């Protein structure tokens, strides 16, 4: 009979996910200027599937691309009304920016009141500006793209959201029109940011109404949260909004000089930042985005980008170990190539408490948890483990912490698992 195990981290990982964590400053780059890597009041930013960061350098009328560690890669754009230019005779150039699954880049050219589309190298593809009252673009700010390639544009000047195809054909809109704003459900007043989750739900930073509104892909009102204030969940002039792959919502709470994180339904989870120029502080944060590893990038009025990662408060590391910053395969202590095995989980007293029996062999893998700072098992595995008697069979992708030695248990972390069977205690 197996020994009983109190494995609170595994059983309770989902329930306690909103406690005992914080976001730590990783790095900053930028500062005011016109040179490569410098900015002039940038508004929004986006991250592609490779983790590269694209910044709408608003008053320099250009787009700049950086590696995940802030290294300058390239730039394009200049002031003007031509193809691939931004801003025209007015000072406000590109504001919103978004990237589709193919790597195409969409930019809200604010003063020219149009959307420009580029390929992944910055090559001009097309543009549209709207010729009717329905699809008119006025003071565009945020822009987002769903998994089907539809483009959502926040018209701050028209107090609405307009949906287009990837080539600019009008689909639908909701909200107000020029001079027609409101505070009711589905109404806006000078909205700015927009983001879309994996299910296609649309989140809008309704800036002057100090709230976030959530809609279906077709603009059906679903819910809202926030009201004027500085307490948790309250907002003051929210500008940017982003959604991670788990559906968590991040808001640039500009008037309160902080970032707030919420669940997909608006339940407050955490916050960080306060007014200041030091690392981890903000002045009027605006654009915000999240990469596939959960790192958060924020623009503020100091014309800089700050990058933040997920970490655990020291006193809570024995309660929960989960890492939003570094996936298993990129964890610093991993020193070998990841590999795949078919196996089943097992739990015992002692360390490590979780092990994987490799099917068809006597090979036993130890899953590094508490001794490995901020690592955890994948969420889909955590959700099916009811207690220490549960056995999970599947295809495990694991990454080793050392070479395999005959007669010794090899320590690994679990990158992912394709579950084939779950056997619970009778």
């Amino acid at each position: 009979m197996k020994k009983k195990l109190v494995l609170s981290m595994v059983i309770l990982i989902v329930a306690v996910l909103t406690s005992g964590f914080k976001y730590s400053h990783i790095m900053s780059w930028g500062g005011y200027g016109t040179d490569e890597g410098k900015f002039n009041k940038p508004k929004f930013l986006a991250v592609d599937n490779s983790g590269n960061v694209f910044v709408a350098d608003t008053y320099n009328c250009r787009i700049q691309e950086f590696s995940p560690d802030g290294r300058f890669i390239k730039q394009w754009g200049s002031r003007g009304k031509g193809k691939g230019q931004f801003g025209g005779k007015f000072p406000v150039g590109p504001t919103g920016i978004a990237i589709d699954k193919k790597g195409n880049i969409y930019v809200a050219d604010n003063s020219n009141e149009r959307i420009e589309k580029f390929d992944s190298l910055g090559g001009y593809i097309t543009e549209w500006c709207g010729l009717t009252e329905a699809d008119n673009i006025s003071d565009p700010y945020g822009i987002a793209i769903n998994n089907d390639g539809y483009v959502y544009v926040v018209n701050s000047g028209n107090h609405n959201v307009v949906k287009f195809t990837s080539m600019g054909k009008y689909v639908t809109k909701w909200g107000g029109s020029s001079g027609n704003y409101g505070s009711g459900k589905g109404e806006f007043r000078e909205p700015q940011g927009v983001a879309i989750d994996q299910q296609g739900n649309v989140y809008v930073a309704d800036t002057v109404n100090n709230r976030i509104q959530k809609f279906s892909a077709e603009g059906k009102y679903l819910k809202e949260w926030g009201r004027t204030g500085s307490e948790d969940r309250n907002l003051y002039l929210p500008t940017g909004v982003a959604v991670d792959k788990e559906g968590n919502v991040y808001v640039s709470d500009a008037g309160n000089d902080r970032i707030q994180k919420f669940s997909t339904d608006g339940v407050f989870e955490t916050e960080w930042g306060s007014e200041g120029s030091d690392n981890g502080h903000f002045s009027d944060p605006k654009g915000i985005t999240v990469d596939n590893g959960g790192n958060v990038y924020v623009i503020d009025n100091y014309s800089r980008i700050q990058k933040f990662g997920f970490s655990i408060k020291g006193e809570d590391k024995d309660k929960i170990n989960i890492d939003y910053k570094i996936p298993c395969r990129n964890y610093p202590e991993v020193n070998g190539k990841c590999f795949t095995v078919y196996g089943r989980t097992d739990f015992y007293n002692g360390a490590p408490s979780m092990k994987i029996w490799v099917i068809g062999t006597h090979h036993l893998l130890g899953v590094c948890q508490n001794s490995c700072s901020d690592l955890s098992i994948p969420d889909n595995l955590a959700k099916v483990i009811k207690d220490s008697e549960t056995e999970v069979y599947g295809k495990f992708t694991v990454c080793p912490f050392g070479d395999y030695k005959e007669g010794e248990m090899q320590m690994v972390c679990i990158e992912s698992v394709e579950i084939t069977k779950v056997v619970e205690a009778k």
Side-chain angles (χ1 to χ4, degrees):
M1 180 180 293
K2 296 179 183 177
K3 296 180 180 179
K4 295 292 185 179
L5 169 69
V6 179
L7 193 61
S8 59
M9 184 280 291
V10 174
I11 299 170
L12 301 178
I13 188 169
V14 177
V16 302
L17 189 58
T18 60
S19 66
F21 59 76
K22 62 180 181 179
Y23 282 80
S24 301
H25 178 269
I26 297 175
M27 65 175 302
S28 300
W29 74 89
Y32 178 80
T34 58
D35 295 336
E36 294 177 352
K38 298 294 184 180
F39 309 109
N40 187 354
K41 298 181 181 179
K43 299 297 183 185
F44 289 90
L45 73 172
V47 178
D48 67 13
N49 287 330
S50 299
N52 291 327
V53 182
F54 294 75
V55 181
D57 190 3
T58 306
Y59 285 83
N60 281 329
C61 292
R62 64 184 177 183
I63 304 299
Q64 294 196 67
E65 179 185 355
F66 301 87
S67 67
D69 60 358
R71 178 177 53 84
F72 175 82
I73 296 176
K74 66 175 179 286
Q75 64 177 352
W76 72 90
S78 61
R79 186 175 302 282
K81 294 184 177 182
K83 295 178 179 179
Q85 294 185 305
F86 309 104
K89 65 180 180 180
F90 299 102
V92 184
T95 46
I97 184 169
I99 304 172
D100 67 19
K101 292 191 294 187
K102 298 179 180 179
N104 297 310
I105 302 159
Y106 301 74
V107 180
D109 183 10
N110 187 275
S111 290
N112 287 324
E113 297 191 323
R114 64 182 177 182
I115 304 302
E116 292 193 83
K117 180 179 179 179
F118 303 88
D119 63 27
S120 60
L121 300 177
Y124 176 88
I125 296 177
T126 190
E127 66 182 73
W128 65 89
C129 59
L131 300 175
T132 69
E133 182 178 351
D135 63 1
N136 178 254
I137 294 175
S138 174
D139 193 20
Y141 265 79
I143 185 169
I145 303 165
N146 70 10
N147 288 332
D148 296 321
Y150 288 100
V151 182
Y152 295 76
V153 178
V154 171
N155 275 326
S156 189
N158 283 342
H159 315 286
N160 63 23
V161 176
V162 186
K163 179 181 179 180
F164 299 92
T165 68
S166 62
M167 294 302 289
K169 181 180 178 181
Y170 171 79
V171 178
T172 190
K173 75 169 183 178
W174 67 93
S177 58
S178 180
N180 181 19
Y181 56 81
S183 58
K185 295 178 179 179
E187 296 180 322
F188 305 106
R189 185 171 182 180
E190 298 179 33
Q192 292 196 23
V194 60
I196 301 174
D197 65 21
Q198 295 297 311
Q199 286 69 48
N201 298 308
V202 181
Y203 302 79
V204 181
D206 188 7
T207 304
V208 178
N209 283 327
N210 297 311
R211 63 183 177 179
I212 301 298
Q213 294 197 67
K214 179 180 178 180
F215 302 89
S216 72
E218 299 306 320
K220 178 184 177 181
Y221 173 89
L222 299 177
K223 71 180 309 168
E224 66 183 73
W225 66 87
R227 61 180 180 180
T228 306
S230 59
E231 296 81 10
D232 294 348
R233 202 172 186 264
N234 290 342
L235 302 164
Y236 183 43
L237 300 178
T239 52
V241 59
V243 183
D244 66 22
K245 60 185 179 182
E246 281 79 29
N248 299 301
V249 182
Y250 302 76
V251 179
S252 292
D253 189 5
N256 288 318
D257 298 306
R258 66 183 177 182
I259 304 302
Q260 292 199 67
K261 178 182 176 182
F262 303 91
S263 73
T264 186
D265 291 320
V267 177
F268 173 81
E269 293 187 357
T270 191
E271 66 175 44
W272 71 93
S274 59
E275 198 282 327
S277 59
D278 293 338
N279 291 334
H281 297 264
F282 305 105
S283 173
D284 192 18
K286 298 186 182 300
I288 185 169
T289 191
V290 187
D291 67 18
N292 288 332
N295 299 302
V296 181
Y297 300 80
V298 183
I299 289 174
D300 74 357
N301 262 358
Y302 289 109
S303 292
R304 65 180 174 178
I305 312 297
Q306 293 193 72
K307 179 178 179 179
F308 298 88
F310 185 93
S311 62
I312 305 294
K313 294 178 182 178
E315 64 270 21
D316 291 321
K317 285 188 176 181
D318 291 334
K319 300 177 184 177
I320 176 172
N321 292 278
I322 187 164
D323 180 68
Y324 270 37
K325 184 172 65 175
I326 306 175
C328 168
R329 67 172 63 245
N330 294 330
Y331 194 68
E333 296 178 23
V334 168
N335 61 2
K337 291 185 178 180
C338 303
F339 56 92
T340 299
V341 298
Y342 290 87
R344 65 172 174 85
T345 60
D346 219 334
F347 299 95
Y348 293 89
N349 288 327
S353 57
M354 181 178 181
K355 300 176 179 67
I356 299 173
W357 284 101
V358 181
I359 293 175
T361 74
H362 295 291
H363 194 180
L364 184 64
L365 302 175
V367 179
C368 200
Q369 296 172 34
N370 291 346
S371 61
C372 301
S373 175
D374 299 344
L375 273 173
S376 77
I377 61 177
D379 283 351
N380 68 326
L381 181 58
K383 290 176 181 179
V384 299
I385 295 175
K386 304 301 182 182
D387 54 35
S388 62
E389 300 291 329
T390 304
E391 293 181 343
V392 179
Y393 293 75
K395 179 181 177 181
F396 294 82
T397 298
V398 297
C399 305
F401 288 81
D403 296 332
Y404 170 69
K405 296 180 180 179
E406 186 69 30
E408 294 184 10
M409 182 170 56
Q410 187 177 23
M411 297 301 298
V412 299
C413 59
I414 302 176
E415 173 74 11
S416 63
V417 57
E418 298 177 19
I419 298 174
T420 58
K421 183 172 68 172
V422 178
V423 179
E424 297 181 2
K426 296 181 179 179

